[in-house]
Amino acid sequence: MMATSTYKVVVLGGGNAAGYVAKSLVEASPDTSLCIVGREEVLPYERPALSKAFLFADPPARLPGFHTSVGGGGVRQDAAWYADAGVDVKLSTEVTGVDVTTKTLTTAAGDTVVAEDALIIATGAAPIALTKTPGWGLDGVYTLRENAEGLRLYDALQAAKGEPVVVVGGGYIGMEVAAAAATVGCQVKMIYPDKHMMPRLFTPEIASHYEKYYTDKGIELLYDGRLCEEILGDDEGKVRGVVMCKDGEKTEVAAKVVVVGVGARANTQLFDGAVEMEAGGIKVNGSLESSAAGVYAIGDVATFPLAMTGGMTRMEHVQNARETAAHAVASILGKSSGDYDYLPYFYSRVFDLGWKFYGRNEGTSVTVGNLKDGLASVWVDDGKAVGVFMEGGSDADTAAMVALARNCPAVDVGALKAATSAAELLAA
Ligand code: FDA
Ligand code: NAD
């Protein structure tokens, strides 16, 4: 028998942002009925954990340890929390259809969930699959986005201690998973086509410090035009290696496990033709409302106006998931004090290192220091400091970074270049 249920607010997607919607709505308006519909089998959690202590710690981080909102400094929202708050969370429930006019979701089982006041789209993003690469479907090829994938990858890395593991991609997943696999004791090679690691954010100068660190940890870096052209299997359909290609020259690289992190795409498919799209995501205004009235989009799937530049942007980062969730709830409740005003913030942790970035990585950059004593960079655009990167750093440094990225002070590049340490660079 198909069921229909109705709530004031419904969230499509039960990931990182959804957990923060529950936090904000329960805090601000506990009597507003809320339902979260998600296909994962677990309650909303802090997804960044999956590529960090989840993979290498002993014992590994596991749910319920990192349910939202622990990463944002809130209480841990476990099953008892949702029950106490009266929030209905439908787990393991795939939404297959959406009517944005009536704000109605249809699930794979044929049930319907209706949002009376607001539907919030929080479907996140999915790893790009190398479906055209021969061998993609072999046993031993992994992507990493959801808890279940993390559990499978953990087992695979444990079983590959001392054995070769190939990580395809030199971005966030590539760097974090390669570090985790090396920590577990695998023989890791990274393959990526870019001139250096993390080309989305790092300058060649920043990257060179991490590349040396990775090499010193025994990770082999195969980059600069190198592509994984084929994944090779044995007679049982299990991965045995990859074919790497550069300038037409092919090399076989052995691997027991292949982890692919070559970017993500926003999960917008259910909304094609139903709402306006931009830059690969659902276009929203400063209230995070889409072109359909009462339908909001938050987190990785939303393309929103970045108040500090006026441009439209999509951010695949957890702080944006947290803040868009809070802002959408404020907009829905009529309690918002203005348009969404986000300060871009990215971070990562690998081995015993941890970096942060605030602002925009545009213009020229000045870098000083090293990974041991503190490494920092400041980006200067049109005579103003617009972005700042720091490895390590104290809470006071973080406060200084935020102030710099927010206020964009006029700076003298000569003075920045004269700095001899990360602390001096921030002070300059
Ligand atoms: P999120 O992906 O969290 O949630 C979307 C949910 O919607 C998923 O549970 C999905 O199953 C569900 N869904 C999608 N379609 C559905 C459908 N049709 N029906 C039902 N459910 C559906 N960021 C950062 O700033 N620092 C970091 O260190 C990291 N680390 C990190 C590690 C790893 C492994 C990943 C994959 C990502 C990160 N990130 C990160 C990025 C960060 O996790 C990301 O920005 C947030 O999870 C985005 O939150 P959302 O809720 O938008 O998507
Ligand atoms: P990414 O965009 O950070 O990096 C993709 C990398 O793959 C780039 O180096 C790119 O050049 C390379 N690449 C592209 N095509 C390739 C190919 N055919 N062969 C080899 N390399 C190729 O994306 P990601 O690392 O896959 O991360 C996926 C998502 O997870 C993103 O949303 C990211 O923000 C998120 N994430 C974030 C963090 C963090 O913020 N610390 C950590 C993990 C994951």
Side-chain angles (χ1 to χ4, degrees), residues 308-324:
M308 62 195 295
T309 63
M312 295 296 287
T313 191
R314 205 166 65 73
M315 294 272 165
E316 296 174 350
H317 291 275
V318 71
Q319 190 60 22
N320 180 58
R322 293 171 183 155
E323 293 187 26
T324 47

Side-chain angles (χ1 to χ4, degrees), residues 55-66:
L55 290 182
F56 64 79
D58 187 16
R62 286 290 178 269
L63 291 171
F66 55 94

Side-chain angles (χ1 to χ4, degrees), residues 27 30 39 79 92 126 138 146 165 186 216 221 226 257 389 425:
E27 279 170 7
R39 71 171 161 228
S92 307
L138 286 167
E146 301 196 340
V165 168
C186 307
D216 289 348
L221 305 178
R226 290 178 175 80
V257 170
F389 168 97
L425 183 71

Side-chain angles (χ1 to χ4, degrees), residues 117-401:
D117 291 352
L119 170 62
I120 304 178
I121 306 164
T123 45
I128 292 174
L130 296 178
T131 47
K132 291 191 179 139
T133 303
W136 172 251
L138 286 167
D139 183 6
V141 180
Y142 297 86
T143 53
L144 181 58
R145 180 81 199 182
E146 301 196 340
N147 186 61
E149 290 173 291
L151 291 170
R152 287 196 291 271
L153 180 56
Y154 173 84
D155 288 344
L157 294 180
Q158 289 294 316
K161 280 185 186 176
E163 309 239 30
V165 168
V166 163
V167 175
V168 180
Y172 286 101
I173 293 276
M175 284 189 72
E176 292 183 7
V177 172
T183 305
V184 165
C186 307
Q187 304 289 320
V188 184
K189 290 183 167 64
M190 292 176 71
I191 302 177
Y192 47 98
D194 317 288
K195 291 264 183 229
H196 60 78
M197 273 180 169
M198 191 68 75
R200 275 221 258 178
L201 181 68
F202 287 2
T203 62
E205 206 175 358
I206 297 174
S208 66
H209 291 274
Y210 291 89
E211 285 161 356
K212 176 161 186 330
Y213 197 90
Y214 273 53
T215 309
D216 289 348
K217 290 279 184 188
I219 297 176
E220 191 175 340
L221 305 178
L222 304 163
Y223 59 113
D224 193 10
R226 290 178 175 80
L227 279 167
C228 168
E229 199 179 73
E230 184 178 352
I231 304 169
L232 303 168
D234 62 17
D235 293 344
E236 292 170 0
K238 292 204 169 99
V239 162
R240 66 176 176 83
V242 304
V243 176
M244 183 180 70
C245 183
K246 176 171 171 156
D247 301 332
E249 192 184 317
K250 297 181 187 205
T251 316
E252 250 186 66
V253 181
K256 186 169 178 191
V257 170
V258 174
V259 188
V260 178
V262 294
R265 268 199 202 103
N267 290 322
T268 58
Q269 306 86 325
L270 286 170
F271 299 91
D272 284 342
V275 294
E276 279 179 38
M277 303 280 177
E278 190 167 334
I282 293 172
K283 184 180 176 185
V284 293
N285 61 20
S287 302
L288 305 178
E289 192 172 18
S290 74
S291 57
V295 178
Y296 295 74
I298 61 172
D300 284 12
V301 79
T303 301
F304 61 90
L306 189 62
M308 62 195 295
T309 63
M312 295 296 287
T313 191
R314 205 166 65 73
M315 294 272 165
E316 296 174 350
H317 291 275
V318 71
Q319 190 60 22
N320 180 58
R322 293 171 183 155
E323 293 187 26
T324 47
H327 194 83
V329 169
S331 300
I332 291 163
L333 297 176
K335 292 183 175 173
S336 164
S337 52
D339 283 348
Y340 184 55
D341 182 9
Y342 184 63
L343 175 66
Y345 165 51
F346 313 129
Y347 75 89
S348 180
R349 290 193 293 274
V350 290
F351 296 112
D352 51 353
L353 302 173
W355 59 259
K356 290 176 180 167
F357 171 89
Y358 290 91
R360 293 186 284 128
N361 57 331
E362 288 163 19
T364 54
S365 75
V366 178
T367 300
V368 297
N370 57 55
L371 292 181
K372 198 167 139 276
D373 305 314
L375 177 73
S377 302
V378 171
W379 278 257
V380 181
D381 193 21
D382 205 15
K384 290 182 171 162
V386 296
V388 55
F389 168 97
M390 194 166 196
E391 168 61 43
S394 62
D395 289 349
D397 291 328
T398 300
M401 293 171 78

